[in-house]
Amino acid sequence: SPLPPEDSTFALATFNFSWDETGANGTPGNLTITGGDGFIANIAWSDYASHPGVGGGLCAFDDVTSQSRLTMTNVNFSQNIASMGAGACVGMDMDYVGGMLTDNVGEDGGGLFVYGDGYVNSPIYATLRDLTFVGNTARNSGNMQQTGNGAAAYFNNVALDMLNCRFTDNRTEGYGGAVWISGSEYFGGQ
């Protein structure tokens, strides 16, 4: 398991957030994040195996309606730590255009972890465009379960459309030095 560094620096990021929540009547809410300083050197950590730390930089889930959407434009994630999705852990439909995920460390999905649960959120629809993944790491936790997959990105139960994304110098102790795809459909561009 990656451990938080003793000397951690935490940065408060400035973003343009908008949350479109139409109420408690089961209709979807949407989250938009644009630009900003980035999610830098954040830690989501737990010592409990049943509740691992997820989404070191950002954790966004819709486990109720499965109709919400996360839209990120020019958002960067760097030097974050978590068990799953050290940069970002997403469990809702998403569009992510223009950004960098660099030097994040996790057990699965060092840079990005996108997960449809197979029930409410299945599949997740994810569109990724013009992203750069550099120097992310997925480490094996050493427990009985195989971890350390998808150093740059991990996709499970995702309908994936990815175009013009670059993967450089990502490292894994499991499978998928750049990308791990499981139970997903890939509708990639050219």
Side-chain angles (χ1 to χ4, degrees):
S1 296
L3 294 175
E6 291 179 11
D7 224 15
S8 297
T9 302
F10 298 89
L12 178 62
T14 304
F15 294 96
N16 294 319
F17 281 97
S18 76
W19 180 255
D20 170 24
E21 186 173 5
T22 55
N25 59 0
T27 56
N30 297 304
L31 175 61
T32 300
I33 306 171
T34 305
D37 301 326
F39 293 87
I40 302 168
N42 299 287
I43 299 171
W45 197 255
S46 170
D47 290 331
Y48 303 104
S50 62
H51 296 95
V54 298
L58 172 71
C59 182
F61 277 85
D62 173 9
D63 57 358
V64 179
T65 68
S66 72
Q67 297 174 13
S68 296
R69 178 168 294 281
L70 169 65
T71 302
M72 295 188 290
T73 306
N74 299 322
V75 177
N76 300 320
F77 296 89
S78 181
Q79 301 174 4
N80 298 292
I81 298 173
S83 293
M84 295 185 300
C89 187
V90 179
M92 62 196 305
D93 292 346
M94 70 178 293
D95 296 311
Y96 187 6
V97 178
M100 294 185 66
L101 295 97
T102 58
D103 301 319
N104 298 290
V105 179
E107 291 175 7
D108 285 320
L112 177 65
F113 186 97
V114 183
Y115 179 77
D117 63 13
Y119 303 101
V120 174
N121 287 337
S122 190
I124 294 292
Y125 293 92
T127 301
L128 286 74
R129 296 278 188 269
D130 304 316
L131 301 176
T132 301
F133 297 80
V134 178
N136 298 289
T137 303
R139 294 186 175 162
N140 190 312
S141 65
N143 64 20
M144 297 297 288
Q145 191 175 21
Q146 172 63 42
T147 59
N149 301 314
Y154 183 111
F155 301 98
N156 188 37
N157 292 324
V158 176
L160 178 61
D161 184 7
M162 187 168 27
L163 180 66
N164 199 29
C165 293
R166 182 176 178 178
F167 301 88
T168 305
D169 196 29
N170 298 286
R171 297 166 299 283
T172 183
E173 294 178 357
Y175 301 102
V179 178
W180 167 270
I181 300 174
S182 174
S184 299
E185 301 174 43
Y186 174 68
F187 301 100
Q190 301 171 345

PDB file of all heavy atoms in Angstrom, residues 6 21 25 30-32 55 57 75 105 155:
ATOM      1  N   GLU A   6       5.658  11.611   4.902  1.00  0.00           N
ATOM      2  CA  GLU A   6       5.656  12.301   6.192  1.00  0.00           C
ATOM      3  C   GLU A   6       5.570  13.807   6.011  1.00  0.00           C
ATOM      4  O   GLU A   6       5.069  14.521   6.838  1.00  0.00           O
ATOM      5  CB  GLU A   6       6.926  11.937   6.970  1.00  0.00           C
ATOM      6  CG  GLU A   6       6.948  10.502   7.425  1.00  0.00           C
ATOM      7  CD  GLU A   6       8.227  10.174   8.156  1.00  0.00           C
ATOM      8  OE1 GLU A   6       9.013  11.093   8.496  1.00  0.00           O
ATOM      9  OE2 GLU A   6       8.456   8.981   8.401  1.00  0.00           O
ATOM     10  N   GLU A  21     -28.170  20.773  -9.334  1.00  0.00           N
ATOM     11  CA  GLU A  21     -28.957  19.760  -8.640  1.00  0.00           C
ATOM     12  C   GLU A  21     -30.409  20.196  -8.672  1.00  0.00           C
ATOM     13  O   GLU A  21     -30.779  21.189  -8.079  1.00  0.00           O
ATOM     14  CB  GLU A  21     -28.468  19.597  -7.206  1.00  0.00           C
ATOM     15  CG  GLU A  21     -29.152  18.470  -6.503  1.00  0.00           C
ATOM     16  CD  GLU A  21     -28.533  18.209  -5.144  1.00  0.00           C
ATOM     17  OE1 GLU A  21     -27.649  18.961  -4.725  1.00  0.00           O
ATOM     18  OE2 GLU A  21     -28.965  17.266  -4.503  1.00  0.00           O
ATOM     19  N   ASN A  25     -36.059  14.816  -6.120  1.00  0.00           N
ATOM     20  CA  ASN A  25     -37.086  14.021  -6.785  1.00  0.00           C
ATOM     21  C   ASN A  25     -36.505  12.956  -7.704  1.00  0.00           C
ATOM     22  O   ASN A  25     -37.202  12.428  -8.553  1.00  0.00           O
ATOM     23  CB  ASN A  25     -38.037  14.929  -7.578  1.00  0.00           C
ATOM     24  CG  ASN A  25     -37.305  15.749  -8.617  1.00  0.00           C
ATOM     25  OD1 ASN A  25     -36.100  15.642  -8.744  1.00  0.00           O
ATOM     26  ND2 ASN A  25     -38.040  16.561  -9.349  1.00  0.00           N
ATOM     27  N   ASN A  30     -25.632  17.628 -12.015  1.00  0.00           N
ATOM     28  CA  ASN A  30     -24.418  17.614 -12.815  1.00  0.00           C
ATOM     29  C   ASN A  30     -23.361  18.479 -12.156  1.00  0.00           C
ATOM     30  O   ASN A  30     -23.682  19.490 -11.532  1.00  0.00           O
ATOM     31  CB  ASN A  30     -24.710  18.126 -14.230  1.00  0.00           C
ATOM     32  CG  ASN A  30     -25.693  17.223 -14.936  1.00  0.00           C
ATOM     33  OD1 ASN A  30     -25.475  16.027 -15.057  1.00  0.00           O
ATOM     34  ND2 ASN A  30     -26.802  17.782 -15.382  1.00  0.00           N
ATOM     35  N   LEU A  31     -22.112  18.082 -12.301  1.00  0.00           N
ATOM     36  CA  LEU A  31     -20.991  18.818 -11.747  1.00  0.00           C
ATOM     37  C   LEU A  31     -20.062  19.204 -12.887  1.00  0.00           C
ATOM     38  O   LEU A  31     -19.684  18.360 -13.699  1.00  0.00           O
ATOM     39  CB  LEU A  31     -20.243  17.967 -10.728  1.00  0.00           C
ATOM     40  CG  LEU A  31     -18.973  18.559 -10.133  1.00  0.00           C
ATOM     41  CD1 LEU A  31     -19.274  19.851  -9.374  1.00  0.00           C
ATOM     42  CD2 LEU A  31     -18.299  17.545  -9.219  1.00  0.00           C
ATOM     43  N   THR A  32     -19.703  20.491 -12.959  1.00  0.00           N
ATOM     44  CA  THR A  32     -18.780  20.989 -13.971  1.00  0.00           C
ATOM     45  C   THR A  32     -17.586  21.632 -13.275  1.00  0.00           C
ATOM     46  O   THR A  32     -17.763  22.457 -12.377  1.00  0.00           O
ATOM     47  CB  THR A  32     -19.478  22.030 -14.877  1.00  0.00           C
ATOM     48  OG1 THR A  32     -20.581  21.395 -15.517  1.00  0.00           O
ATOM     49  CG2 THR A  32     -18.525  22.574 -15.922  1.00  0.00           C
ATOM     50  N   GLY A  55     -10.055   8.413  -4.646  1.00  0.00           N
ATOM     51  CA  GLY A  55     -10.078   9.764  -5.180  1.00  0.00           C
ATOM     52  C   GLY A  55      -9.218  10.730  -4.407  1.00  0.00           C
ATOM     53  O   GLY A  55      -9.717  11.619  -3.742  1.00  0.00           O
ATOM     54  N   GLY A  57      -7.396  13.233  -5.401  1.00  0.00           N
ATOM     55  CA  GLY A  57      -7.671  14.601  -5.821  1.00  0.00           C
ATOM     56  C   GLY A  57      -9.156  14.898  -5.853  1.00  0.00           C
ATOM     57  O   GLY A  57      -9.608  15.943  -5.402  1.00  0.00           O
ATOM     58  N   VAL A  75      -8.497  20.494 -16.451  1.00  0.00           N
ATOM     59  CA  VAL A  75      -8.284  20.229 -15.025  1.00  0.00           C
ATOM     60  C   VAL A  75      -7.106  19.277 -14.884  1.00  0.00           C
ATOM     61  O   VAL A  75      -7.046  18.258 -15.565  1.00  0.00           O
ATOM     62  CB  VAL A  75      -9.553  19.620 -14.383  1.00  0.00           C
ATOM     63  CG1 VAL A  75      -9.297  19.281 -12.921  1.00  0.00           C
ATOM     64  CG2 VAL A  75     -10.731  20.571 -14.516  1.00  0.00           C
ATOM     65  N   VAL A 105      -0.091   8.336  -7.286  1.00  0.00           N
ATOM     66  CA  VAL A 105       0.242   6.987  -6.835  1.00  0.00           C
ATOM     67  C   VAL A 105      -0.967   6.352  -6.167  1.00  0.00           C
ATOM     68  O   VAL A 105      -1.523   6.901  -5.203  1.00  0.00           O
ATOM     69  CB  VAL A 105       1.415   7.006  -5.834  1.00  0.00           C
ATOM     70  CG1 VAL A 105       1.730   5.602  -5.347  1.00  0.00           C
ATOM     71  CG2 VAL A 105       2.643   7.638  -6.457  1.00  0.00           C
ATOM     72  N   PHE A 155     -10.447   1.299 -15.970  1.00  0.00           N
ATOM     73  CA  PHE A 155     -11.855   1.403 -16.362  1.00  0.00           C
ATOM     74  C   PHE A 155     -12.545   0.070 -16.112  1.00  0.00           C
ATOM     75  O   PHE A 155     -12.084  -0.965 -16.587  1.00  0.00           O
ATOM     76  CB  PHE A 155     -11.988   1.760 -17.847  1.00  0.00           C
ATOM     77  CG  PHE A 155     -11.317   3.049 -18.214  1.00  0.00           C
ATOM     78  CD1 PHE A 155     -10.065   3.062 -18.777  1.00  0.00           C
ATOM     79  CD2 PHE A 155     -11.958   4.253 -17.974  1.00  0.00           C
ATOM     80  CE1 PHE A 155      -9.439   4.255 -19.107  1.00  0.00           C
ATOM     81  CE2 PHE A 155     -11.343   5.459 -18.308  1.00  0.00           C
ATOM     82  CZ  PHE A 155     -10.091   5.456 -18.873  1.00  0.00           C
TER      83      PHE A 155
END
